[in-house]
Amino acid sequence: CNRQARRHGIQPGMTPTAARALSADGQHHVRAPEREQRMLEQLATWAGQFTPRVSLQAPGALLLEIEGSLRYFNGLEPLRQRIRADLQQIGHTAVMGIAPTATAAWLLARAGDETPIMARQELSNRLAGLPVSILPVERRAADALRGLGCETLGEIRALPSDGATRRLG
């Protein structure tokens, strides 16, 4: 479910009927994972014009290492605008998470947070406030996290690691 659906209280894994009860305006689409994967691979090839360092990140994300491209594209904002405009021309949109590490950028994008993290020192504080719902975990682990009262990544990090590993795997 996308960011707008989440604002209406819709959660991943809900049935279409339950989701429609929360938002009559919502649209339900059946996923086609093989088709999504092919499209992601095509977009990865397309993204090679911005950087030679492109990788696929399941589920449904591309990671672009752009540090080496910033000077060529005259900085972060011109590069981001160019990618966004070019994506729009080919019928796609993106949420762009930008951070010093690939995982942090991926988490920001999943949370819909497009404000760049430019320094490693900012990572812990910024990521701590992100919602647990952005993690691609199985239902059992998500239920366990809710049972522990964890709503943010920071609250997960605050758990004693031994107990969390035992309960969550």
Side-chain angles (χ1 to χ4, degrees):
C1 78
N2 64 17
R3 192 175 18 189
Q4 186 176 3
R6 283 193 174 104
R7 280 194 289 252
H8 284 92
I10 297 168
Q11 295 296 316
M14 272 186 170
T15 65
T17 303
R20 277 193 293 277
L22 295 173
S23 174
D25 299 344
Q27 296 179 9
H28 174 251
H29 299 278
V30 177
R31 295 194 63 192
E34 302 83 23
R35 190 171 146 237
E36 292 173 18
Q37 182 65 24
R38 279 193 309 275
M39 180 57 65
L40 203 56
E41 290 167 2
Q42 291 171 356
L43 287 171
T45 300
W46 168 87
Q49 67 185 299
F50 302 108
T51 176
R53 300 187 69 177
V54 179
S55 61
L56 301 173
Q57 174 70 39
L62 288 179
L63 298 174
L64 283 68
E65 197 288 302
I66 60 168
E67 185 175 18
S69 303
L70 294 177
R71 197 166 73 200
Y72 179 76
F73 287 96
N74 298 314
L76 177 60
E77 279 312 307
L79 175 58
R80 196 157 50 164
Q81 290 171 7
R82 168 87 181 272
I83 292 171
R84 195 175 307 281
D86 288 4
L87 274 172
Q88 188 174 14
Q89 282 183 340
I90 60 173
H92 293 278
T93 61
V95 177
M96 297 183 203
I98 298 170
T101 69
T103 300
W106 177 72
L107 289 169
L108 287 172
R110 287 185 57 89
D113 184 343
E114 292 194 312
T115 304
I117 297 176
M118 301 308 286
R120 282 188 180 271
Q121 303 89 281
E122 298 174 46
L123 285 174
S124 185
N125 286 340
R126 283 283 302 286
L127 298 179
L130 297 181
V132 169
S133 62
I134 66 170
L135 297 175
V137 296
E138 293 181 15
R139 169 79 88 208
R140 183 187 71 76
D143 291 344
L145 289 169
R146 272 194 295 283
L148 292 169
C150 293
E151 295 182 16
T152 66
L153 300 185
E155 291 169 341
I156 294 173
R157 289 190 64 204
L159 294 173
S161 62
D162 290 344
T165 300
R166 223 177 9 263
R167 289 180 119 166
L168 304 171

